Amino acid sequence: MEKTILGEKIEGQGKTQAPCVLITGFEPFGGETVNPSWQAVERLPEQIRGRKVEKLLLPVTYGSSAQKLLEEIRRLEPEMVLCVGQAGGRAAVTVERTGINWAEASLADNDGYTALGETLEASGWDGYFSTLPLNPIVEAIRKKGIPAQISESAGTYVCNQLLYRLLHFLRESDRKIPGGFIHIPFSPEQVAEKKGGAPSLPVELSAMALEAAVEATLEAAL
Ligand code: PCA
């Protein structure tokens, strides 16, 4: 598969594809009525650095979320892929370093499936590193005055599953593009009535952080 280059024909498809970036967010889960990851993705501009911003809403399910993501990557051949999820309890925007080949969480997914401890891909590696430029992303977000950190674990629920399968797919299909995952905190609206409170970040700031992350990734890839 030929790399997607500005306005060039994609081999085998015979059509001209505009350069784009693919950004995903999740539906609400775990009793929440909103998911700030999708609210932030929705707020992104239509274009960043001349690339069309393709936005995709994913279900919080172990099976179909990755399936939908990979279908969209094959269809669009984006220059980069950034998946975004909510990490309630975290006080900063966190850029994930690794996806691991494991699913285990007491919270069922939105299909009612509970992962009791299982590998995600029988033939996959134990883990994969994100191919996003983690440090430049963290710096770019902090420059906007928004707290950001690298995270050493995306957990073992649906977000880790999506990150792992994304990285597995990029490697197996030899797509040498930046791909990875960012977790964002709850929004203030979500924590307003939570007992004991919880850290939060306005969705506008999460969206600014995501835009900075995309810019930093495109810059680093030049
Ligand atoms: N966060 C969950 C799944 C969907 C989301 O937004 C997670 O961190 O696994």
Side-chain angles (χ1 to χ4, degrees), residues 48-215:
I48 298 178
R49 296 276 149 99
R51 276 73 159 192
K52 184 161 195 285
V53 178
E54 297 281 355
K55 305 167 187 178
L56 177 67
L57 174 63
L58 293 174
V60 183
T61 56
Y62 287 104
S64 50
S65 57
Q67 211 177 313
K68 275 186 118 180
L69 172 68
L70 304 190
E71 269 169 27
E72 202 66 349
I73 295 173
R74 287 194 196 91
R75 189 176 76 81
L76 296 168
E77 293 298 344
E79 279 181 51
M80 63 169 282
V81 183
L82 174 61
C83 299
V84 188
Q86 160 199 307
R90 289 193 189 171
V93 173
T94 46
V95 191
E96 300 295 343
R97 194 189 304 277
T98 58
I100 61 169
N101 195 3
W102 198 251
E104 182 169 355
S106 51
L107 180 65
D109 73 7
N110 284 357
D111 276 345
Y113 182 78
T114 305
L116 298 174
E118 55 198 69
T119 51
L120 294 166
E121 296 291 337
S123 65
W125 293 5
D126 288 346
Y128 295 103
F129 285 123
S130 167
T131 56
L132 294 175
L134 306 185
N135 286 310
I137 289 176
V138 166
E139 278 168 33
I141 296 172
R142 288 179 179 168
K143 260 197 193 149
K144 304 265 177 201
I146 301 166
Q149 308 281 337
I150 291 176
S151 158
E152 306 301 345
S153 171
T156 47
Y157 188 51
V158 174
C159 289
N160 169 71
Q161 171 270 157
L162 187 72
L163 173 58
Y164 179 84
R165 288 205 161 110
L166 164 66
L167 297 172
H168 179 67
F169 172 77
L170 291 181
R171 179 171 280 271
E172 293 287 295
S173 66
D174 203 29
R175 282 176 169 79
K176 294 183 173 59
I177 59 168
F181 200 99
I182 288 184
H183 267 118
I184 60 170
F186 280 136
S187 66
E189 295 77 12
Q190 285 177 289
V191 305
E193 290 176 25
K194 281 203 199 315
K195 271 214 173 122
S200 65
L201 191 70
V203 165
E204 295 75 12
L205 294 184
S206 290
M208 269 175 67
L210 298 181
E211 189 172 352
V214 173
E215 287 173 351

Side-chain angles (χ1 to χ4, degrees), residues 1-20 54 71-78:
M1 173 66 65
E2 216 175 41
K3 201 170 177 264
T4 311
I5 307 169
L6 251 164
E8 272 198 8
K9 281 189 176 177
I10 310 262
E11 215 163 69
Q13 294 180 17
K15 62 167 184 175
T16 303
Q17 190 133 325
C20 70
E54 297 281 355
E71 269 169 27
E72 202 66 349
I73 295 173
R74 287 194 196 91
R75 189 176 76 81
L76 296 168
E77 293 298 344

Side-chain angles (χ1 to χ4, degrees), residues 19-35:
C20 70
V21 297
L22 176 59
I23 323 285
T24 73
F26 274 111
E27 288 175 349
F29 70 104
E32 298 292 327
T33 54
V34 294
N35 190 322

